[in-house]
Amino acid sequence: MEAQVNFKQLLNNVKVFVFDVDGVLTDGSITLMPDGEQIRKMNIKDGYALQLAIHKGYKIAIISGGKSESVRKRLNGLGITEVFLGCDNKLETYNEFLLTHTLDSKQVLYMGDDMPDYEVMQHVGVATCPEDAAPEIKSISLYTSSKKGGEGCVRDVIEQVMKLHGNWNTKEQEAEKKV
């Protein structure tokens, strides 16, 4: 119970979201086409939350070992400009991102699912993972979503932060603003 309280308290500091792609924004499966193209499936609800977070002023970055330009195109279409693909050293990319934007790691919520995320997750303010993450990743995460990768785990954490900050536009919040 104590970890849950600490997790919710730490969400107050979150101004930046950083996500892995395969296994977080996707379910980790790849469909191989005859021409060699690799097709991934992303959740539309995750996409909605990502674009809403950007609209509300949160900074979002993607750090992935994958190199799919179709992934970049989809994420750019949502308004995400900080898309780092083909990253062999995610911690180095993460540190450069922080430095470039003068960000504090305490402001960062990171969601990863497997061993390439392990090192960087040890350096963020709030480490999170999908329900189907590797055991080692679950062991260092402050929060494990009830949703699997590609099935809404990204929306889960974004929605929690935005609701806590009063930025998730529900009809109830809009009515409260008018009163």
Side-chain angles (χ1 to χ4, degrees):
M1 189 65 173
E2 185 66 30
Q4 189 68 11
V5 173
N6 290 338
F7 168 71
K8 289 289 188 183
Q9 289 173 342
L10 290 172
L11 293 185
N12 283 310
N13 300 328
V14 174
K15 294 179 170 73
V16 182
F17 296 97
V18 180
F19 298 102
D20 178 31
V21 174
D22 293 321
V24 174
L25 282 164
T26 75
D27 65 6
S29 65
I30 297 172
T31 301
L32 296 174
M33 302 305 289
D35 65 359
E37 183 180 0
Q38 298 178 356
I39 300 191
R40 293 160 172 86
K41 182 177 72 170
M42 293 186 175
N43 187 294
I44 200 76
K45 291 179 182 172
D46 286 344
Y48 172 78
L50 287 163
Q51 63 83 31
L52 181 61
I54 291 166
H55 177 73
K56 293 291 185 172
Y58 295 88
K59 184 161 275 313
I60 296 180
I62 305 299
I63 302 177
S64 176
K67 300 175 184 174
S68 171
E69 286 304 314
S70 61
V71 167
R72 182 187 310 277
K73 185 175 181 179
R74 165 68 176 150
L75 297 170
N76 287 166
L78 295 172
I80 303 170
T81 57
E82 303 288 336
V83 180
F84 305 99
L85 302 178
C87 297
D88 293 327
N89 185 333
K90 289 187 176 189
L91 181 59
E92 183 179 302
T93 302
Y94 170 75
N95 285 332
E96 288 173 14
F97 168 72
L98 290 182
L99 188 61
T100 299
H101 297 284
T102 318
L103 298 169
D104 184 338
S105 63
K106 292 176 188 159
Q107 301 171 315
V108 178
L109 181 149
Y110 185 101
M111 182 174 269
D113 72 304
D114 213 342
M115 296 312 294
D117 302 302
Y118 190 90
E119 188 176 22
V120 69
M121 287 177 71
Q122 294 181 306
H123 292 87
V124 301
V126 184
T128 66
C129 66
E131 189 275 328
D132 56 343
E136 296 88 349
I137 298 302
K138 286 183 171 183
S139 75
I140 63 168
S141 293
L142 294 175
Y143 174 76
T144 299
S145 175
S146 63
K147 308 284 187 189
K148 293 180 179 179
E151 296 182 8
C153 60
V154 169
R155 178 180 175 139
D156 176 23
V157 293
I158 291 174
E159 186 174 339
Q160 286 189 57
V161 169
M162 291 180 70
K163 280 183 174 177
L164 186 65
H165 295 169
N167 288 326
W168 189 262
N169 284 339
T170 63
K171 290 182 181 178
E172 295 82 26
Q173 286 176 333
E174 290 302 315
E176 287 174 14
K177 289 179 185 176
K178 293 177 183 176
V179 174

